[in-house]
Amino acid sequence: MKDWLLQIFTWWNGQTIGTRFHTWRFGERVGEDEFGNVYYRSAGGVKDKALGFQRRWVIYKGDAEASKVPPGWNGWLHHTVDVAPSEESYQPREWQQPHQQNWTGTALAYRPQGSTLAEGERPAATGDYQAWTPGR
């Protein structure tokens, strides 16, 4: 019951009722990524008359956060590549790291040395900075 209410009243929790109906009626499942996001395209490869190309979309697992989309799927969604990652056998190179979402604003965000939010002790001030005071 809670999931249905969230689909009616919110758009950031996966999909809305309208998106669910549109996907059921006009969508064709293409694949799923390692995060559980599911990708769709217009059924039968039909081109949208207004756009001139096939529609592609994603149903996020959990919060609708675009940084959760891996690079291969992002390229497919934006029509940079024609072949979906689920339809090809791509092997990443040894120097490529696995995709991570943007952690800004969370406890996992990058905090460089000297940041007020970084763990540990900040280095002592060296005295080479003089604060500005209005009127001087």
Side-chain angles (χ1 to χ4, degrees):
M1 182 69 173
K2 178 184 172 189
D3 291 337
W4 281 100
L5 289 174
L6 287 174
Q7 287 182 16
I8 293 171
F9 295 109
T10 64
W11 58 265
W12 54 87
N13 290 306
Q15 61 181 326
T16 63
I17 290 290
T19 304
R20 179 183 289 270
F21 178 75
H22 180 82
T23 302
W24 170 75
R25 179 77 171 91
F26 302 108
E28 174 182 36
R29 184 184 169 123
V30 177
E32 185 174 335
D33 65 19
E34 62 267 22
F35 302 116
N37 302 322
V38 183
Y39 299 87
Y40 294 89
R41 64 179 163 212
S42 302
V46 176
K47 290 184 179 182
D48 187 285
K49 292 178 183 177
L51 298 174
F53 53 82
Q54 180 185 59
R55 284 190 180 264
R56 298 173 181 175
W57 66 95
V58 59
I59 304 295
Y60 296 101
K61 180 178 181 180
D63 292 338
E65 172 59 49
S67 71
K68 290 182 181 178
V69 176
W73 283 108
N74 186 57
W76 180 79
L77 282 171
H78 292 94
H79 298 274
T80 305
V81 296
D82 292 328
V83 180
S86 62
E87 297 170 351
E88 67 179 358
S89 58
Y90 173 76
Q91 294 298 321
R93 298 201 165 72
E94 68 274 356
W95 49 266
Q96 289 179 303
Q97 295 181 354
H99 176 71
Q100 290 186 358
Q101 73 180 51
N102 184 354
W103 296 109
T104 302
T106 69
L108 299 173
Y110 172 70
R111 293 181 171 88
Q113 182 182 3
S115 168
T116 56
L117 298 174
E119 292 183 6
E121 190 139 341
R122 290 187 65 181
T126 60
D128 62 347
Y129 174 78
Q130 185 176 4
W132 174 77
T133 306
R136 282 202 209 174

